[in-house]
Structure formats: C-alpha cells, structure tokens
Amino acid sequence: MQKRILGTQGLKISAIGLGCMGMSEFYGPGDETESIATINRAIELGIDFFDTSDIYGPFTNEVLVGRALRPHRDKVVIATKFGIVRDPDGTGRGVNGRPEYVRQACDASLKRLGIDTIDLYYQHRIDPSTPIEETVGAMAELVTAGKVRYLGLSEAAPETIRRANAVHPISALQTEYSLWSRDPEDQILPTVRKLGIGFVPYSPLGRGFLTGHITSPADLTPGDWRANSPRFQGENFQRNLDLVRKIEQLAARKGCTPSQLALAWVLAQGDDLAPIPGTKHRKYLEENVAATRVSLSGDDLAAIEAIAPPGIAAGDRYSAGGMRAVNR
C-alpha cells in the first residue's frame, strides 16, 4: 500500500482509507461482525486511515470503529467529525460550530472511540451562524490540549477554507469527489493546493452507483438513504445508469472492474489526495484496494474524460436541504 501525505503538518496515511459510515447507518442493515472483520482485513491490506463521525448511527459508529481499532491503535489514523447535531433517535437538529459545542463534541467522541487523542478532527458542516474563526479557534485549543493532532474541514467553501487556515493550519478538506461529482475541480482543489491542504474525497464510487451493482431502484434495501437522493430517482437514475454502462465498457477493456476504474481515476488526480471508499464487506474492500494497482495511461484518462466530463451526473448529489449545507 502506497502512502500519501495530507497537508504540511506531517499527516501520513495510506493512499486509500476506509469510510465506515455504512457499517452503522444510511445504506441498509449492518452486520457488526462482518464490519469488524472488514476493518481488520483493511489493516492486513495496508490501510491505516479510518473515517467515522459522531452522527453516524447516530453515535454508534464511533463505538464500533473504536472497538475494532483498539488493538491496532499505534498504527492507525482515526478521523472523526463534529458539527451536525442529531438526537439519539436520529432526528436532525441542524449544525453547531460554537466553541463550547466543539469542546463538548470532542470529549464525547474521545469517550466513544476509547482513545486519548483524535488523529484528524473535521468540522462536518460549516455553521453559518458561528464565524469560522471561532470554531477553528476552539479546534486549535484541542490541539494544544493534546486531544486532537490535525484539523480538517468538510464541505467548506474556498473563502471559508482560507479564513480557517489563517487561524490554524488545516491538514485536510473532505468533500464528495468522483467521476460523477467533479465540482471541486473548479475552486476547491485549486484553493487547497495553493494553501498546502490535503484533499479527502468521500463517496469516490458515487455512493455505490459507479460499481455497477445497482441497476434498479429496487436494488436498494428498505431504509437505504440513497432512495431519497435525486441521482437515484426517476429519469436521473436511468441517465446515470447509462454513464455506468460506459464506465463498465472501459473497465472491461482495461481488465478491471468499474469500481477499480473509478477509484484509479480519483487516485490519479494527485498525490495530495486520499479517497475513502466506504464498505462494510470484505469482498468489496479487497476489490477497492486492488484499484491501487490499476495504472491509467494518458489515453485511458482521455477516454474517461470523454464519457464522464464535469457535470455529467443527472440530479443534485443531495436533496435541496442537503445542498444548502454544503460548500459554505
């Protein structure tokens, strides 16, 4: 497994990480035994970068991840997030970036994870009612206190990133990025690269759509969040499926799976980024890790660009409410 460095403060991680959200919520029923086995297999394959959040579950994903990683604590990087506030029953209550909440959320995450220090701590969504300087100032205090090593932001706009980085160095920005979500190329990627901030693409497989395993809305299990996503609905579904069919054809000629082609494309976008494809199954994890061995030539990249240019996906990546919370 190759290593990559995020930011300029020395955060070194595996070229791909493991997104753990789906182990507890959003993508249908989970299996704790298989999830823990998947985390252990990830470590065997050289992955040392694990991503969670306090709201996944809600709250239970940190417990699961912490328990699975406890025997490996000295050789893994644990990233978690705060800022989206939910009740224990899953009800959403908005976004909170106030300093007192930052401190409270950090202590709660440390307890659930069962660790003394969070390696990478992200603000999950920007709170428009709290100046980013105040939020990052409180996050910086956590670094001074030894509770956090590196700071990150998620779904932040360029100006917010610049203001945050002026308060304390930001090591990573996490934003959705894949063959069907290329918006960051316009302003986000140029901004973080100018500032020396690493980039962590989440949903690099288009929330599973780019794998080719989803061929009908009926393939989604009851309770799967994706059923409410505009890209998985109505005419958008078929248009996006047409894109996947083209990706499958390219992958077949390359001798890899659509997932591996899509991940290899993300990995080829720069050594300053590390995608975190999520899965709760060992077989898909192994398929994803094999993408690191797929080499894309200039002709390959040109062929991919021809079928998946920016803006190709049909539908927004979130509902109207979700879209209001990103890139701000």
Side-chain angles (χ1 to χ4, degrees), residues 100-264:
E100 62 272 21
Y101 181 75
V102 175
R103 294 186 286 268
Q104 172 191 332
C106 179
D107 287 342
S109 286
L110 286 169
K111 183 176 181 180
R112 284 188 291 266
L113 287 163
I115 58 179
D116 297 322
T117 306
I118 295 167
D119 297 307
L120 175 58
Y121 200 37
Y122 294 100
Q123 183 179 13
H124 206 159
R125 289 293 186 271
I126 303 302
D127 179 0
S129 65
T130 303
I132 191 64
E133 290 82 0
E134 294 184 13
T135 303
V136 176
M139 295 169 71
E141 291 174 1
L142 297 174
V143 175
T144 302
K147 294 182 178 182
V148 170
R149 290 193 175 93
Y150 304 99
L151 301 186
L153 301 174
S154 178
E155 292 286 2
E159 181 58 24
T160 302
I161 298 167
R162 286 189 284 267
R163 290 168 54 195
N165 195 64
V167 175
H168 186 281
I170 302 298
S171 293
L173 175 77
Q174 183 176 136
T175 292
E176 185 171 353
Y177 185 51
S178 69
L179 281 174
W180 77 346
S181 293
R182 296 182 57 180
D183 314 39
E185 294 174 357
D186 293 336
Q187 298 184 50
I188 298 296
L189 275 170
T191 298
V192 296
R193 283 174 169 157
K194 182 177 181 179
L195 296 172
I197 297 171
F199 187 65
V200 178
Y202 73 83
S203 294
L205 297 177
R207 303 191 182 278
F209 211 129
L210 299 177
T211 66
H213 298 312
I214 301 172
T215 60
S216 163
D219 291 337
L220 302 178
T221 59
D224 193 312
W225 170 88
R226 291 172 291 188
N228 299 313
S229 169
R231 293 185 176 178
F232 287 78
Q233 296 177 333
E235 294 181 0
N236 290 343
F237 188 99
Q238 186 57 52
R239 289 173 58 191
N240 290 325
L241 188 60
D242 291 343
L243 167 63
V244 173
R245 293 293 175 250
K246 295 176 182 177
I247 294 172
E248 287 176 333
Q249 292 171 6
L250 283 181
R253 293 201 293 269
K254 190 68 180 173
C256 64
T257 68
S259 298
Q260 291 165 345
L261 187 74
L263 266 180

